[in-house]
Amino acid sequence: MSKTTAAITAVGAYVPDYVLTNDILSTMVDTNDEWITSRTGIKERRILKDKDKGTSYLGIKAAEDLIAKKNIDPKEIDMVIFATATPDIMVAATGAYVASQIGAVNAFSYDLQAACSSFLYGMSTATSYIESGRYKKVLLIGADKMSSIIDYTDRTTCIIFGDGAGAVLFEPNTEGLGLQDEYLRSDGIGREFLKIEAGGSTLPASEETVANKQHFVKQDGKTVFKYAVSNMADASSKIMERNNLTGNDVNWLIAHQANKRIIDATAKRMELDHNKVLMNIERYGNTTSATLPLLLSDFEKQFKKGDNIVFASFGGGFTWGSIYLKWAYNS
Ligand code: UT7
């Protein structure tokens, strides 16, 4: 009997309407379009302006897009994994709320937090549940309202991040398509270089933490950049080596959209043609858990059944890795 693999069978996405351009940012902080474009590749990002809407709103919209496109009954979904670094509220899982709102009333759901690698790790979790035979339809959502944790007076972070969400459905496959291999890593050394200092159990919220702006993301960009370049390239070349893939065998690189220079360095190590490197960072910036599914959604029509896709990410923690997946359908 052939082994059951776990394949992506549908994709959905959502980004809010409001466009925050480099030019608008340059009226808010001391920066300019030339600096942002040349250092990051970002031109604009989407922002969820509504104060009363959280990350769940983005995730629900992406899931509803998928459900409508695939025309499935949400009652058939067994499980919803909600990958995010910006849950609606502390303690209560945002995923549980999202699952109820989309009508996935027979599913169980929880949040998965691994900063920018949340979605990549979520792919590993989702596929494992399918491969085990325990569940048949696992919905993985990656969503972040990064604007809720950004200090728009800090030019080193506010130019990078944006809001968005994407969703994929994993189902069993008997043709050997779907996830082939994964190489996932983490290193707690990264905790110092990319974090929100307060609001957790080590430094609960107080008047002082608010006054000190300790509830916003802070990063040592240079250090994170250095680790990101070497680790994302390492992970991607390792997964290729392990599966005897050359640059010619890989059809697409779907890499976390944090900085165009990091993605270019990874593609170079993989010896990939420029046109195989998928990018939308110029339009969305870094949407944290949503970058990979937003790429899948934007480029879905180009994928052919059997295409070899390498996913790669690097994020806070540090967390990083690479996944090799065979695409399972023609759009
Ligand atoms: O997704 C999670 C993982 N995160 C990442 O992968 C992010 C990794 N890091 C990066 O992408 C880059 O480090 C940044 C885009 C954040 C910064 O780019 P950089 O090339 O590393 O710039 P830098 O921090 O070394 O700053 C260079 C100069 C500095 O001025 P001086 O000291 O040379 O006079 C900064 O003060 O650029 C200045 N600068 C800016 N200038 C205009 C910093 N931010 C800005 C800005 N506009 N927004």
Side-chain angles (χ1 to χ4, degrees):
M1 211 174 75
S2 68
K3 182 178 166 260
T4 296
T5 49
I8 293 175
T9 58
V11 176
Y14 176 76
V15 289
D17 293 334
Y18 180 77
V19 179
L20 179 59
T21 63
N22 290 351
D23 286 338
I24 299 173
L25 275 171
S26 66
T27 67
M28 297 159 63
V29 291
D30 180 14
T31 191
N32 56 75
D33 177 53
E34 201 284 322
W35 192 96
I36 302 172
T37 307
S38 62
R39 299 287 178 126
T40 69
I42 302 167
K43 285 290 203 186
E44 55 190 46
R45 49 310 277 136
R46 299 301 183 97
I47 303 293
L48 181 58
K49 283 287 205 182
D50 316 51
K51 291 256 181 301
D52 59 333
K53 294 190 171 87
T55 301
S56 61
Y57 177 81
L58 302 167
I60 289 166
K61 288 284 207 184
E64 286 175 346
D65 180 44
L66 180 150
I67 288 165
K69 272 168 67 187
K70 177 80 173 165
N71 196 18
I72 54 162
D73 180 352
K75 292 194 188 72
E76 291 171 17
I77 299 170
D78 299 306
M79 176 182 190
V80 177
I81 302 173
F82 197 75
T84 189
T86 52
D88 279 6
I89 53 175
M90 299 289 279
V91 182
T94 302
Y97 175 72
V98 169
S100 295
Q101 291 296 307
I102 62 172
V105 291
N106 295 313
F108 73 103
S109 177
Y110 56 79
D111 296 354
L112 192 156
Q113 209 285 63
C116 293
S117 299
S118 301
F119 191 86
L120 190 86
Y121 285 13
M123 288 176 70
S124 169
T125 310
T127 52
S128 302
Y129 276 112
I130 299 278
E131 287 162 3
S132 75
R134 213 177 304 167
Y135 302 112
K136 298 271 181 275
K137 281 187 168 54
V138 178
L139 182 67
L140 171 63
I141 303 171
D144 270 302
K145 185 183 174 185
M146 293 305 291
S147 60
S148 66
I149 53 169
I150 294 300
D151 175 3
Y152 283 94
T153 65
D154 176 3
R155 70 175 182 174
T156 68
T157 51
C158 75
I159 56 135
I160 297 169
F161 295 99
D163 302 338
V168 300
L169 185 69
F170 280 99
E171 293 186 88
N173 185 284
T174 51
E175 297 176 281
L177 303 170
L179 187 130
Q180 306 294 306
D181 195 12
E182 66 180 30
Y183 175 80
L184 304 181
R185 309 290 298 157
S186 64
D187 185 345
I189 195 175
R191 179 161 150 143
E192 283 315 304
F193 305 118
L194 177 47
K195 63 180 170 186
I196 293 178
E197 289 165 344
S201 55
T202 53
L203 186 58
S206 67
E207 285 179 19
E208 203 184 333
T209 60
V210 172
N212 292 339
K213 296 187 166 192
Q214 288 172 294
H215 296 274
F216 292 121
V217 169
K218 295 211 172 59
Q219 81 163 335
D220 173 347
K222 252 192 180 9
T223 306
V224 177
F225 185 90
K226 229 172 49 198
Y227 278 94
V229 164
S230 71
N231 284 319
M232 216 158 92
D234 271 359
S236 308
S237 53
K238 226 171 221 115
I239 206 114
M240 286 173 70
E241 248 170 66
R242 227 155 70 169
N243 292 278
N244 298 316
L245 297 171
T246 67
N248 287 333
D249 303 317
V250 175
N251 297 96
W252 312 106
L253 169 65
I254 297 194
H256 175 53
Q257 308 283 293
N259 188 315
K260 184 176 181 299
R261 290 183 290 145
I262 299 172
I263 303 163
D264 286 341
T266 301
K268 195 165 171 218
R269 269 281 289 284
M270 295 168 72
E271 297 181 355
L272 276 193
D273 281 356
H274 183 67
N275 60 4
K276 295 180 172 182
V277 184
L278 304 186
M279 275 199 230
N280 54 15
I281 190 170
E282 69 284 357
R283 284 181 291 136
Y284 307 136
N286 181 349
T287 54
T288 302
S289 310
T291 59
L292 303 183
L294 279 175
L295 283 168
L296 285 174
S297 172
D298 281 358
F299 293 94
E300 182 187 18
K301 293 211 160 39
Q302 298 185 24
F303 304 152
K304 297 270 172 296
K305 187 173 172 180
D307 276 0
N308 290 321
I309 303 183
V310 172
F311 293 81
S313 79
F314 183 89
F318 293 130
T319 54
W320 73 95
S322 188
I323 280 179
Y324 165 35
L325 176 139
K326 276 186 181 291
W327 195 247
Y329 63 96
N330 298 314
S331 292

